[in-house]
Amino acid sequence: MEAELATLITSGATTAVGLMVTETWEQAKQRVLHVFSRGGDEAAVSGELERTRDTLVAAAGSPDEEALIGDVTALLRLRLRALLHHDPDAVTELRLLVEEFAPTAEAGTAGTVHNSITGGTVNGPVFQGHSFTGLTFHSTYDPLRDAPSD
């Protein structure tokens, strides 16, 4: 297997696992599913990806988390290698998925981000960033009491 293809397979598996444990999963799920289910049973692959995601999310912060991520990544690498062997046309689709969703090569460098707030009035905190978990908000804001007077 040529080095470029091996790198793409590794990036594809790493990207898929990374997406599974972030809020981006819902945005990317159909694209990942389309790549992994080419020529197969989409419903079965979808169920398998969701079970894998549930396992990864449940393992977050546990002592087994890194080992599990490594195991799932290795499994997805094997699946991608087999897929690309049987369906070489899937290379383009996998490459597009990786280009769109893979983290940037340099650690700490942000990729392309687009944030928007619509609706005109925001009556609470707005956070923009990456991977927020466990946020708790305490507020004394009362829209009737604190509304601006005319």
Side-chain angles (χ1 to χ4, degrees):
M1 177 176 294
E2 63 186 66
E4 182 181 338
L5 189 56
T7 299
L8 178 62
I9 288 168
T10 298
S11 294
T14 302
T15 298
V17 170
L19 288 168
M20 287 181 186
V21 297
T22 66
E23 293 82 20
T24 309
W25 176 244
E26 289 304 317
Q27 176 186 352
K29 177 172 51 176
Q30 289 304 313
R31 296 274 306 281
V32 174
L33 176 60
H34 190 66
V35 169
F36 279 90
S37 65
R38 286 178 67 105
D41 182 357
E42 189 170 298
V45 174
S46 178
E48 185 179 335
L49 289 173
E50 285 301 322
R51 285 188 299 277
T52 301
R53 179 184 189 274
D54 291 344
T55 301
L56 288 169
V57 169
S62 75
D64 298 332
E65 179 181 19
E66 290 302 317
L68 182 60
I69 288 172
D71 291 347
V72 171
T73 303
L75 176 66
L76 294 183
R77 266 195 321 267
L78 290 172
R79 288 187 69 157
L80 286 172
R81 183 173 288 131
L83 169 72
L84 297 181
H85 176 74
H86 288 68
D87 185 0
D89 294 335
V91 168
T92 302
E93 190 173 355
L94 179 59
R95 185 172 287 120
L96 290 172
L97 178 76
V98 168
E99 287 173 0
E100 182 174 350
F101 291 106
T104 58
E106 296 179 36
T109 302
T112 302
V113 176
H114 173 77
N115 294 299
S116 63
I117 300 171
T118 59
T121 303
V122 177
N123 293 316
V126 176
F127 291 84
Q128 294 179 326
H130 186 282
S131 301
F132 292 105
T133 59
L135 292 176
T136 303
F137 299 96
H138 301 284
S139 175
T140 58
Y141 175 77
D142 180 349
L144 296 176
R145 182 192 72 217
D146 299 334
S149 59
D150 291 325

